[in-house]
Amino acid sequence: MAVKIGISACVLGAQVRFDGGHKASTFCTQQLKPLVEYVPVCPEQAIGMSVPRPPIRLQYNAEQQIRLVQTRDNSLDYTEQMLSFTAKLLPQLADLSGYIVCAKSPSCGMERVKLYDAEGNNLGKQAVGLYTRQLMQHYPWLPVEEDGRLLDPALKENFIARVFACYDYQQSMRDGFSIGKLVAFHSRYKFQLLAHSPQAYRQLGRLVAEAKLFQPQELQLRYLTELMQAMRQIASRKQHTNVLQHLQGFFKKVLEPASRAELSELIDRYRRGFVPLLAPVTLLQHHLRRYPNQYLQQQSYFAPYPEQLGLRA
């Protein structure tokens, strides 16, 4: 079963924007595409809006409700049509492991979408696209990112790590949730969690330890939601260094002094920004092949996503 990612159709190159154009993302159409199955959606076209079409925006009405209206004539209101379409579509998206939306769009934007008052005055970039707002409320655990933010290497790596972790969790629970499966999954993600959030690492550890106190369905959803929230935090160089030093500790009794010194030096060079994360991780994997350790071999930290994406280099 492929990793399924929802995506704004224009980000895949479909000419469905209000001006008849697209916002094709090179990363999405070239690097990521061979590794996933996309579910393209253009909510504006889906509710019957033409291509091209007059632009729309988010605007307060007299009752201070945010509405999706035509920019030049706010009496043309598409809010109910969009909400009706979204309500019908959302149940069909439960098997997605991520979603890439079009930035700044009044229907699809994830954040910083322009909002206007009832008189048409620009209140600034403080809204969320109507469609994406409903999506994130319905699936609070779903990794969602904007096309423009994927140009930032750290944000891109973070999003992809969340997508593949989400997919891994979904696959782990595909045939039914159990505490045993949860314990096994959490064990594999301990170091990855530690890199993203030491606090969440401890909190999720307590949640798993107290698993019998919760109803299975509640626990399954709560763990996934808290896991995805934790992984939204960018793993810093300092936190990665902490994880690398933890992993190094597993080899201190088996490595000869020269190899220990080499590994310590490489980790420190990563800490100081002289080499990419891939360098110490590769050396640790080399030692792991020489001195197998079942607990370490199962850690997702070593391969959080397909290496051909090159995100750690």
Side-chain angles (χ1 to χ4, degrees), residues 7-14 22-26 28-29 100-103 147 150:
I7 189 167
S8 294
C10 61
V11 176
L12 276 184
H22 63 78
K23 286 190 68 179
S25 160
T26 300
C28 294
T29 59
I100 300 170
V101 297
C102 179
D147 61 324
L150 292 176

Side-chain angles (χ1 to χ4, degrees), residues 203-273:
Q203 291 175 340
L204 281 167
R206 287 194 292 269
L207 179 63
V208 173
E210 298 171 353
K212 293 182 180 180
L213 301 178
F214 301 91
Q215 293 296 319
Q217 187 173 5
E218 175 193 359
L219 179 61
Q220 180 178 1
L221 180 58
R222 178 174 171 179
Y223 181 89
L224 178 59
T225 302
E226 293 189 15
L227 172 71
M228 292 295 102
Q229 288 174 346
M231 291 186 65
R232 284 194 68 180
Q233 300 183 49
I234 301 294
S236 68
R237 189 174 295 272
K238 179 180 178 181
Q239 287 165 191
H240 273 304
T241 299
N242 179 43
V243 170
L244 294 170
Q245 290 171 338
H246 271 79
L247 294 170
Q248 180 185 22
F250 284 85
F251 297 99
K252 64 181 180 181
K253 293 183 179 180
V254 295
L255 291 181
E256 58 275 14
S259 294
R260 287 202 303 271
E262 178 189 35
L263 180 56
S264 294
E265 181 184 2
L266 191 57
I267 292 173
D268 189 59
R269 290 178 66 201
Y270 164 73
R271 180 186 65 81
R272 291 182 290 161

Side-chain angles (χ1 to χ4, degrees), residues 1-4 97 162-172:
M1 182 178 176
V3 179
K4 295 178 70 173
S97 302
R162 285 186 284 142
V163 167
F164 280 88
C166 183
Y167 174 74
D168 192 358
Y169 186 82
Q170 291 166 325
Q171 290 299 103
S172 297

Side-chain angles (χ1 to χ4, degrees), residues 20-275:
H22 63 78
K23 286 190 68 179
S25 160
T26 300
F27 173 71
C28 294
T29 59
Q30 297 182 18
Q31 290 177 264
L32 188 57
K33 188 176 181 179
L35 302 172
V36 302
E37 177 185 339
Y38 285 126
V39 179
V41 179
C42 175
E44 294 173 17
Q45 188 181 43
I47 63 172
M49 300 181 74
S50 62
V51 180
R53 55 185 173 272
I56 56 176
R57 68 186 185 188
L58 294 173
Q59 182 170 339
Y60 281 114
N61 62 12
E63 289 75 38
Q64 290 298 294
Q65 300 170 324
I66 296 178
R67 310 296 292 182
L68 185 67
V69 300
Q70 191 179 112
T71 299
R72 298 168 188 164
D73 181 1
N74 63 16
S75 67
L76 296 174
D77 189 324
Y78 303 98
T79 308
E80 299 308 325
Q81 289 172 266
M82 184 64 72
L83 291 176
S84 176
F85 163 73
T86 305
K88 292 177 182 177
L89 179 65
L90 287 179
Q92 303 173 39
L93 304 181
D95 60 346
L96 295 185
S97 302
Y99 209 113
I100 300 170
V101 297
C102 179
K104 302 178 183 179
S105 164
S107 56
C108 294
M110 183 187 78
E111 62 179 22
R112 296 176 56 78
V113 177
K114 288 182 180 178
L115 179 63
Y116 295 81
D117 66 17
E119 286 71 44
N121 300 306
N122 188 346
L123 299 175
K125 300 176 181 180
Q126 53 179 280
V128 176
L130 186 59
Y131 169 80
T132 299
R133 184 177 67 191
Q134 300 303 309
L135 172 73
M136 294 192 297
Q137 288 177 352
H138 194 83
Y139 296 115
W141 47 265
L142 184 67
V144 178
E145 191 52 274
E146 291 184 334
D147 61 324
R149 283 167 51 95
L150 292 176
L151 297 172
D152 181 296
L155 294 175
K156 178 167 61 179
E157 194 275 343
N158 178 272
F159 172 68
I160 296 300
R162 285 186 284 142
V163 167
F164 280 88
C166 183
Y167 174 74
D168 192 358
Y169 186 82
Q170 291 166 325
Q171 290 299 103
S172 297
M173 307 302 167
R174 181 178 56 182
D175 298 324
F177 174 83
S178 73
I179 293 177
K181 290 180 181 179
L182 179 64
V183 170
F185 177 90
H186 182 70
S187 179
R188 291 191 289 111
Y189 275 79
K190 281 188 174 182
F191 287 109
Q192 196 164 342
L193 266 170
L194 188 60
H196 285 274
S197 172
Q199 181 181 4
Y201 167 83
R202 293 188 292 270
Q203 291 175 340
L204 281 167
R206 287 194 292 269
L207 179 63
V208 173
E210 298 171 353
K212 293 182 180 180
L213 301 178
F214 301 91
Q215 293 296 319
Q217 187 173 5
E218 175 193 359
L219 179 61
Q220 180 178 1
L221 180 58
R222 178 174 171 179
Y223 181 89
L224 178 59
T225 302
E226 293 189 15
L227 172 71
M228 292 295 102
Q229 288 174 346
M231 291 186 65
R232 284 194 68 180
Q233 300 183 49
I234 301 294
S236 68
R237 189 174 295 272
K238 179 180 178 181
Q239 287 165 191
H240 273 304
T241 299
N242 179 43
V243 170
L244 294 170
Q245 290 171 338
H246 271 79
L247 294 170
Q248 180 185 22
F250 284 85
F251 297 99
K252 64 181 180 181
K253 293 183 179 180
V254 295
L255 291 181
E256 58 275 14
S259 294
R260 287 202 303 271
E262 178 189 35
L263 180 56
S264 294
E265 181 184 2
L266 191 57
I267 292 173
D268 189 59
R269 290 178 66 201
Y270 164 73
R271 180 186 65 81
R272 291 182 290 161
F274 297 146
V275 297

Side-chain angles (χ1 to χ4, degrees), residues 263 266 269-270 275-285 312-313:
L263 180 56
L266 191 57
R269 290 178 66 201
Y270 164 73
V275 297
L277 178 61
L278 185 62
V281 167
T282 299
L283 185 55
L284 281 165
Q285 289 176 305
R312 280 184 164 176

